[in-house]
């Protein structure tokens, strides 16, 4: 059976732990796994802007012995010039795996149904599961474990990062508090699924509109941009002086409510002075650039896992 990674709960808790263990090993031994030796090719398709994702997947595929084929989504126009099923069949006959950054989650699910090779979600409007694997690896490096830790995600609770934190952290057995304004709360179906997973892993999920309650004594504090890709038209409202997100900015005052040794994550790009202050992202609690590096190692481990399982 072909295995895909379209959302965070496409792997079990045991499989997630196995991928993270392999990611840690590959961080120490960069070329220890060569499942794409040949080289076999991997299609990297980007319908949205990218820096870290394109770089980390390109380098990762090369380090696994393969060849990354970067496809400009604006040229390919998947689902416009050709149907998604036809594109999936064409890609699947020529490459070992497909990595796709696109819009609605339904597009990548349709790709996976017809591709015949592993399909990886490199970001959709609903989920960003590869980023969560990198975050979990980073937390493990700095805290030594995942299960039982308390993490707080504050800001836009309705975006793809919030949804992936809900599923991915519940899978890891963590206690996640999500703090966001009432106008931007997580998809109830994702919240229901996160509660379901947490009930089996010993984790927990808490939703609140109080940023201080979310961060209180948390060992991990996380935020993300208030203007996700595709929402640029709302930038003035979301970043304005009366923005509903303003109380959720991770600055020195809000961070003072967290545990004394709390670490701070941000998936980047970061907008200093809005969702996070320069003092925090450049300060001693920040592990943001470890997090960015770990995209490479986590995604290599993920690709190796999917290729082995398929």
């Amino acid at each position: 059976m072909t295995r895909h990674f379209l959302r965070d709960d496409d792997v079990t808790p045991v499989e997630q732990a196995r991928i993270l263990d392999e990611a840690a090993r590959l961080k120490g031994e960069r070329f220890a796994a060569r499942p794409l030796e040949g080289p076999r090719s991997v299609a990297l398709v980007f319908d949205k802007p990218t820096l870290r994702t394109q770089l980390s997947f390109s380098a990762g595929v090369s380090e696994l012995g393969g060849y990354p084929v970067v496809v400009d989504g604006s040229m390919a126009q998947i689902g416009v010039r050709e149907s998604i099923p036809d594109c999936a069949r064409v890609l699947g006959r020529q490459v070992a795996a497909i990595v796709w950054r696109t819009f609605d989650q339904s597009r990548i699910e349709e790709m996976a149904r017809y591709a015949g090779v592993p399909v990886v979600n490199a970001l959709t409007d609903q989920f960003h599961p590869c980023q969560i694997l990198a975050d979990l690896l980073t937390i493990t490096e700095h805290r030594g474990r995942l299960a039982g830790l308390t993490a707080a995600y504050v800001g836009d609770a309705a975006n793809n990062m919030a949804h992936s934190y809900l599923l991915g952290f519940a899978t890891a057995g963590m206690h996640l508090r999500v703090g966001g304004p009432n106008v931007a709360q997580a998809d109830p179906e994702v919240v229901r699924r996160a509660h379901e997973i947490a009930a089996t892993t010993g984790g927990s999920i808490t939703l609140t509109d109080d940023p201080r309650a979310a961060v209180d004594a948390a060992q991990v504090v996380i935020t993300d941009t208030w203007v996700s890709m595709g929402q640029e038209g709302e930038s003035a409202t979301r970043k304005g002086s009366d923005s509903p997100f303003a109380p959720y900015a991770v600055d020195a005052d809000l961070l003072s409510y967290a545990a004394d040794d709390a670490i701070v994550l941000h998936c980047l790009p970061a907008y200093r002075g809005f969702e996070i202050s320069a003092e925090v992202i450049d300060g001693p609690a920040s592990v943001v650039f470890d997090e960015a590096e770990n995209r490479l190692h986590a995604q290599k481990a993920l690709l190796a896992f999917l290729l082995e399982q398929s």
Side-chain angles (χ1 to χ4, degrees), residues 20 38 103 109 176 202 207 248 251 302:
L20 294 174
F103 300 97
E109 290 174 353
L176 176 65
L207 305 182
Y248 302 87
D251 54 19
L302 172 68

Side-chain angles (χ1 to χ4, degrees), residues 49 52 223-230 232 235 238-239 249-251 266-282 288:
R52 278 156 297 281
T223 189
D224 183 27
T225 178
W226 297 335
V227 185
S228 296
M229 282 183 277
E232 289 80 1
S235 180
R238 287 174 170 256
K239 290 184 173 179
V250 178
D251 54 19
H266 188 306
C267 65
L268 301 175
Y271 300 95
R272 290 167 167 79
F274 291 98
E275 76 272 5
I276 192 165
S277 69
E279 181 183 17
V280 170
I281 196 170
D282 296 328
V288 167

Side-chain angles (χ1 to χ4, degrees), residues 189-275:
E189 176 56 27
V190 175
V191 175
R192 182 203 63 75
R193 176 60 180 148
H195 278 296
E196 185 177 81
I197 297 170
T200 69
T201 61
S204 66
I205 301 297
T206 302
L207 305 182
T208 177
D209 62 0
D210 183 342
R212 292 179 179 178
V215 168
D216 182 42
Q219 294 146 308
V220 181
V221 178
I222 311 166
T223 189
D224 183 27
T225 178
W226 297 335
V227 185
S228 296
M229 282 183 277
Q231 296 176 327
E232 289 80 1
E234 302 175 28
S235 180
T237 302
R238 287 174 170 256
K239 290 184 173 179
S241 58
D242 57 349
S243 167
F245 296 100
Y248 302 87
V250 178
D251 54 19
D253 177 65
L254 185 59
L255 190 59
S256 71
Y257 291 86
D260 291 341
D261 61 348
I263 58 174
V264 174
L265 285 82
H266 188 306
C267 65
L268 301 175
Y271 300 95
R272 290 167 167 79
F274 291 98
E275 76 272 5

Side-chain angles (χ1 to χ4, degrees), residues 1-152:
M1 182 182 72
T2 303
R3 291 291 301 271
H4 308 290
F5 191 58
L6 308 182
R7 44 188 276 169
D8 308 78
D9 55 348
D10 279 343
V11 294
T12 67
V14 170
E15 290 171 339
Q16 183 194 71
R18 176 181 162 185
I19 292 167
L20 294 174
D21 285 346
E22 178 67 358
R25 184 179 81 93
L26 293 179
K27 187 169 184 174
E29 303 174 57
R30 295 272 291 252
F31 306 103
R34 304 283 287 178
L36 291 168
E37 195 79 82
R40 301 163 70 195
S41 297
V42 174
L44 311 179
V45 189
F46 298 104
D47 292 341
K48 291 184 173 183
T50 175
L51 171 62
R52 278 156 297 281
T53 301
Q54 180 174 333
L55 177 63
S56 56
F57 268 111
S58 296
V61 168
S62 298
E63 292 187 10
L64 291 173
Y67 181 78
V69 181
V70 177
V71 179
D72 181 343
S74 65
M75 294 287 286
Q77 297 187 49
I78 294 176
V80 178
R81 292 178 60 246
E82 288 184 87
S83 71
I84 292 175
D86 283 358
C87 291
R89 293 183 182 103
V90 170
L91 290 170
R93 288 186 177 215
Q94 300 191 37
V95 298
I98 299 166
V99 175
W100 195 13
R101 166 170 285 203
T102 189
F103 300 97
D104 194 81
Q105 183 75 10
S106 63
R107 287 169 58 81
I108 201 165
E109 290 174 353
E110 189 171 13
M111 175 75 80
R113 281 198 294 275
Y114 295 96
V117 297
V119 175
V120 175
N121 182 347
L123 183 146
T124 62
D125 293 343
Q126 287 77 33
F127 298 103
H128 195 3
C130 290
Q131 181 67 57
I132 270 51
L133 290 178
D135 288 17
L136 291 172
L137 176 60
T138 306
I139 295 167
T140 304
E141 288 175 338
H142 288 272
R143 286 293 169 266
R145 63 189 174 94
L146 294 171
L149 288 179
T150 297

